[in-house]
Amino acid sequence: MTKTQKLLSLAIAIFLLLDITAGIVLLVNKDKSAVRLVCGSENTNRLFALDSAASKGTIKEDGYANFKFTKAQKEYFYKTYRENGTVALTVCLQLMPTKKQMELLNSEEEAIFRYGFLGNEDFNIEGKFLKKKYPDTRRIQIQGDEKKAPELFDVSFAVQKNENIEKYAPEGFFIYSSIRCRIVAACVVPAEVGFDVTKEIPFYGFACNGGVVDFERRSFDFSGCSMVFPVQSNTKQTMPEYRVMLSENSENKSTREHSVRVQMNVGGEKLYINNVNAAREIIIPAAALNTPFSRTELAENADCVESLIMRGTKAVASEEGEILEPIRTDPGLILNYKTSQWRTVDYEIYEWDRFPQILFFDTRNYEVQDRLFRRLAFFVEKQGYKGRLLTNDELGDMHGYNAHDYSAQSMANFFNKATELHFQLNEEELLLKRILIHNGLLDDDGFYVKANEGGLVSISRETPGWSRTNLLAHEGWHTIFFRDAEFRNYVSAVYYTFDPTSRDFLIDYFKSQPSLGYDINDEYLMHNEFMAYIMQQRLSEVANYFVHLANRGTVIKFTPDLAAYVRKTEGRGFEDAANALNDFVYDKYGIVCGNIALVNR
């Protein structure tokens, strides 16, 4: 063979080899879809295509795309469920109507999309897709009006909860579209049900009973969520939470003169959310509501809500069975939170949804509260006892407080003093220490603890309801004082500039009440209590409250002249101070005297 013939033969051989290789690749990948399934932050792999539309990832018009999961992809469903307690498949859709289809969208004809799961019944024993059984109008699915849909959106379908999740996980899924539609990607994620248009791609999630997408976001049916999330809170599980994201549109925000409240009707129960500039995200625990798994309507100011999502929580007991993780919530939902949904018999822990590391303890009675906080109360605040660790015998039957508040620093001092003196704390106090470390109020340095930001509030169910409301506000203001230096400085300025005679009366009032036992020489404490006593009731009630104090027999006996002065001036000095404080906290936090909550029933 000549050199030219040899080169020609080599070229033909290479061509044949490439052709055969390409054929093998095409054969191997003939059922691989252009659509990828995202499993985790980086792991992506192609879905199995059951038809040409699924292979290309595009539906031309009035048709279906059917996909099947590989064994590895199904394993990721199981893994996600075991780690999170829920699992869902989110699919990203892009509507790309042709010029002719645009006419359809502008007509009165129906234009819909559907999304549903494929199960074992959709395949024969050899695993072949049974098109003749499909579509089934009785099939549970999600559907929506493409005329109202955005061009690009995510739609998510949750899998029913079950310990044997392998039997409930889908074999695949389908998408139907009236117009040209691209299936951009799919993702295995923990379940979230509701809508969220704050994201770059609008999101609509459904429970395992499917439903119809309301692109106008006026209502959502959460009834199927009982088949996805826990319906009872205990040491092993916690009910889910609603996350509400409020619009940042300044035109729809509350002002001092005009309140803009979202009315949220959950199964007939009405909640009112104050749409203030200072708040974006509101957390509502499902366990705080009477019928959380029901249709929810945004009856008033629906445009103020850009996201309404029900999602799972991880607030469960430690391996030792202790409740360390708090339930995030707005304080307005703590007072009437059902004790049947507490995760322990003796207490429940909450975290202020707007202020991380501010914890609220609600205890079954004063006895439980005392075991947790009484020794701490004497160590931190009680005049004549500050800085001392009292034994149980020394404490005897002395009273602490019906409500408590402590900064992270004061609690660190308490536990470090006990460590230094090898003082034996009781079991509840040691549990409190573990809770504080778990939630980041304290850092465990091995021997001592170090204080971080934050504070703690405690109230008790043994306190009458009318008093619990004031105490929650009183103690809640203390925790903001603990964590915000700007607020502390402002309180200090008001303390030293408001009516000095009224200030003298307040100090004498503290002296006249032995049960309080405040150390009046502690400037920090005096500023903190001055603020809280003023701000625990509504602005309109402040003057009358201090006149009421000035009418107490014990107060008149201790400081008759100052009590007479407050009665004569009708408490106006305190009212002036309250107005100044109220303006500051409303501008900064969106809350007011007498009410630290943004959610009210």
Side-chain angles (χ1 to χ4, degrees), residues 490-504:
Y490 188 80
V491 169
S492 177
V494 174
Y495 181 83
Y496 287 118
T497 56
F498 95 112
D499 179 27
T501 309
S502 295
R503 181 173 63 244
D504 291 342

Side-chain angles (χ1 to χ4, degrees), residues 359-530:
L359 303 182
F360 295 89
F361 280 70
D362 200 359
T363 63
R364 177 167 54 87
N365 53 33
Y366 291 143
E367 181 183 353
V368 173
Q369 190 180 43
D370 281 349
R371 291 202 299 266
L372 284 161
F373 302 111
R374 185 168 63 138
R375 197 187 327 267
L376 182 58
F378 279 84
F379 179 87
V380 173
E381 290 185 348
K382 291 284 191 178
Q383 190 170 18
Y385 299 97
K386 283 180 63 175
R388 288 179 55 196
L389 292 173
L390 302 182
T391 65
N392 292 337
D393 289 340
E394 288 173 319
L395 284 170
D397 58 359
M398 288 193 297
H399 180 63
Y401 297 110
N402 292 346
H404 299 257
D405 65 271
Y406 303 105
S407 67
Q409 185 61 61
S410 63
M411 292 185 287
N413 295 341
F414 173 79
F415 289 113
N416 286 338
K417 188 75 169 181
T419 299
E420 181 183 328
L421 299 179
H422 302 288
F423 187 93
Q424 183 60 51
L425 299 174
N426 64 35
E427 291 182 9
E428 289 79 9
E429 290 162 337
L430 294 174
L431 170 61
L432 174 61
K433 184 178 181 179
R434 290 191 289 274
I435 291 171
L436 298 173
I437 292 172
H438 177 82
N439 289 287
L441 280 77
L442 304 179
D443 283 338
D444 187 355
D445 287 349
F447 191 69
Y448 292 110
V449 292
K450 178 184 176 183
N452 294 315
E453 292 284 335
L456 174 150
V457 166
S458 171
I459 55 176
S460 173
R461 289 286 168 142
E462 193 170 335
T463 303
W466 62 267
S467 181
R468 277 168 58 84
T469 301
N470 280 354
L471 288 175
L472 184 68
H474 180 107
E475 308 301 346
W477 286 118
H478 281 317
T479 60
I480 296 179
F481 186 90
F482 293 148
R483 78 188 306 275
D484 189 339
E486 184 183 4
F487 183 45
R488 289 196 299 272
N489 292 336
Y490 188 80
V491 169
S492 177
V494 174
Y495 181 83
Y496 287 118
T497 56
F498 95 112
D499 179 27
T501 309
S502 295
R503 181 173 63 244
D504 291 342
F505 167 79
L506 182 64
I507 294 171
D508 270 8
Y509 166 72
F510 289 153
K511 291 179 183 177
S512 72
Q513 306 299 304
S515 62
L516 295 177
Y518 293 139
D519 182 355
I520 62 170
N521 297 312
D522 186 332
E523 188 178 65
Y524 181 96
L525 177 63
M526 286 297 97
H527 294 177
N528 199 354
E529 294 300 339
F530 150 75

Side-chain angles (χ1 to χ4, degrees), residues 201-460:
I201 301 175
F203 171 89
Y204 306 90
F206 287 80
C208 53
N209 63 334
V212 178
V213 180
D214 177 7
F215 289 109
E216 295 178 341
R217 312 190 313 274
R218 299 286 172 178
S219 64
F220 202 94
D221 185 4
F222 292 96
S223 59
C225 289
S226 61
M227 296 183 285
V228 177
F229 302 105
V231 296
Q232 176 70 39
S233 294
N234 50 47
T235 56
K236 296 181 179 179
Q237 61 185 22
T238 302
M239 291 178 67
E241 64 185 17
Y242 285 95
R243 186 203 64 193
V244 180
M245 295 291 284
L246 299 171
S247 167
E248 294 182 302
N249 184 351
S250 59
E251 295 181 0
N252 293 331
K253 291 294 184 181
S254 291
T255 64
R256 295 180 207 173
E257 297 76 26
H258 177 64
S259 176
V260 178
R261 301 193 306 171
V262 175
Q263 182 180 320
M264 181 173 160
N265 295 347
V266 186
E269 182 179 10
K270 294 180 180 179
L271 301 178
Y272 298 91
I273 304 172
N274 196 4
N275 185 25
V276 297
N277 276 308
R280 173 75 160 149
E281 180 186 74
I282 304 294
I283 302 298
I284 301 172
L289 306 177
N290 293 328
T291 54
F293 303 118
S294 56
R295 174 168 287 279
T296 296
E297 296 181 350
L298 300 173
E300 295 179 10
N301 295 310
D303 292 341
C304 295
V305 177
E306 294 185 342
S307 176
L308 176 62
I309 291 288
M310 182 178 282
R311 62 187 183 184
T313 69
K314 293 187 177 181
V316 296
S318 67
E319 293 181 1
E320 292 75 24
E322 295 178 333
I323 297 298
L324 307 178
E325 187 78 18
I327 294 170
R328 293 183 67 213
T329 186
D330 180 89
L333 298 170
I334 293 175
L335 293 175
N336 296 318
Y337 198 98
K338 292 178 288 187
T339 56
S340 61
Q341 292 292 356
W342 281 11
R343 295 165 297 164
T344 71
V345 174
D346 287 339
Y347 67 91
E348 185 55 275
I349 322 170
Y350 309 92
E351 182 179 43
W352 201 333
D353 59 345
R354 298 177 59 207
F355 302 109
Q357 296 172 216
I358 289 185
L359 303 182
F360 295 89
F361 280 70
D362 200 359
T363 63
R364 177 167 54 87
N365 53 33
Y366 291 143
E367 181 183 353
V368 173
Q369 190 180 43
D370 281 349
R371 291 202 299 266
L372 284 161
F373 302 111
R374 185 168 63 138
R375 197 187 327 267
L376 182 58
F378 279 84
F379 179 87
V380 173
E381 290 185 348
K382 291 284 191 178
Q383 190 170 18
Y385 299 97
K386 283 180 63 175
R388 288 179 55 196
L389 292 173
L390 302 182
T391 65
N392 292 337
D393 289 340
E394 288 173 319
L395 284 170
D397 58 359
M398 288 193 297
H399 180 63
Y401 297 110
N402 292 346
H404 299 257
D405 65 271
Y406 303 105
S407 67
Q409 185 61 61
S410 63
M411 292 185 287
N413 295 341
F414 173 79
F415 289 113
N416 286 338
K417 188 75 169 181
T419 299
E420 181 183 328
L421 299 179
H422 302 288
F423 187 93
Q424 183 60 51
L425 299 174
N426 64 35
E427 291 182 9
E428 289 79 9
E429 290 162 337
L430 294 174
L431 170 61
L432 174 61
K433 184 178 181 179
R434 290 191 289 274
I435 291 171
L436 298 173
I437 292 172
H438 177 82
N439 289 287
L441 280 77
L442 304 179
D443 283 338
D444 187 355
D445 287 349
F447 191 69
Y448 292 110
V449 292
K450 178 184 176 183
N452 294 315
E453 292 284 335
L456 174 150
V457 166
S458 171
I459 55 176
S460 173

Side-chain angles (χ1 to χ4, degrees), residues 14-84:
I14 292 172
F15 176 79
L16 290 172
L17 180 61
L18 290 173
D19 190 49
I20 293 170
T21 301
I24 293 172
V25 170
L26 287 172
L27 184 65
V28 170
N29 290 286
K30 71 180 181 72
D31 294 323
K32 290 289 183 70
S33 171
V35 181
R36 291 186 174 274
L37 181 71
V38 180
C39 301
S41 58
E42 298 179 0
N43 184 15
T44 63
N45 45 71
R46 293 163 67 181
L47 289 159
F48 191 88
L50 296 172
D51 50 43
S52 60
S55 180
K56 297 173 183 176
T58 301
I59 300 168
K60 290 184 178 180
E61 64 175 330
D62 197 24
Y64 289 85
N66 297 279
F67 303 86
K68 188 177 182 181
F69 302 123
T70 65
K71 183 179 179 181
Q73 289 167 348
K74 289 178 67 176
E75 288 291 338
Y76 194 76
F77 267 92
Y78 312 151
K79 178 176 181 289
T80 302
Y81 182 85
R82 293 189 187 104
E83 290 177 353
N84 299 277

Side-chain angles (χ1 to χ4, degrees), residues 56-259:
K56 297 173 183 176
T58 301
I59 300 168
K60 290 184 178 180
E61 64 175 330
D62 197 24
Y64 289 85
N66 297 279
F67 303 86
K68 188 177 182 181
F69 302 123
T70 65
K71 183 179 179 181
Q73 289 167 348
K74 289 178 67 176
E75 288 291 338
Y76 194 76
F77 267 92
Y78 312 151
K79 178 176 181 289
T80 302
Y81 182 85
R82 293 189 187 104
E83 290 177 353
N84 299 277
T86 64
V87 65
L89 181 72
T90 299
V91 179
C92 181
L93 302 180
Q94 182 180 15
L95 302 181
M96 302 184 299
T98 63
K99 187 175 180 180
K100 183 179 180 181
Q101 290 168 350
M102 286 298 294
E103 295 176 2
L104 170 66
L105 294 179
N106 293 322
S107 71
E108 294 182 0
E109 290 186 45
E110 189 178 59
I112 61 172
F113 77 87
R114 298 191 186 98
Y115 163 30
F117 287 145
L118 300 177
N120 290 324
E121 67 277 6
D122 295 302
F123 301 88
N124 65 18
I125 196 168
E126 288 84 22
K128 184 179 178 180
F129 183 45
L130 300 174
K131 289 186 179 180
K132 64 180 181 180
K133 288 189 64 178
Y134 178 73
D136 184 350
T137 55
R138 295 169 299 176
R139 185 185 298 268
I140 295 174
Q141 58 190 350
I142 300 166
Q143 70 177 49
D145 186 349
E146 292 178 322
K147 295 178 180 180
K148 297 179 180 179
E151 177 187 341
L152 187 69
F153 62 96
D154 285 338
V155 59
S156 187
F157 210 163
V159 177
Q160 185 172 342
K161 65 183 178 184
N162 194 278
E163 290 184 4
N164 191 3
I165 191 62
E166 290 81 357
K167 289 187 176 181
Y168 280 79
E171 294 293 319
F173 69 97
F174 69 87
I175 299 293
Y176 166 85
S177 180
S178 299
I179 63 174
R180 187 170 63 173
C181 173
R182 176 177 169 234
I183 298 92
V184 179
C187 186
V188 179
V189 292
E192 291 191 348
V193 178
F195 64 83
D196 185 354
V197 297
T198 66
K199 296 181 177 181
E200 185 176 349
I201 301 175
F203 171 89
Y204 306 90
F206 287 80
C208 53
N209 63 334
V212 178
V213 180
D214 177 7
F215 289 109
E216 295 178 341
R217 312 190 313 274
R218 299 286 172 178
S219 64
F220 202 94
D221 185 4
F222 292 96
S223 59
C225 289
S226 61
M227 296 183 285
V228 177
F229 302 105
V231 296
Q232 176 70 39
S233 294
N234 50 47
T235 56
K236 296 181 179 179
Q237 61 185 22
T238 302
M239 291 178 67
E241 64 185 17
Y242 285 95
R243 186 203 64 193
V244 180
M245 295 291 284
L246 299 171
S247 167
E248 294 182 302
N249 184 351
S250 59
E251 295 181 0
N252 293 331
K253 291 294 184 181
S254 291
T255 64
R256 295 180 207 173
E257 297 76 26
H258 177 64
S259 176

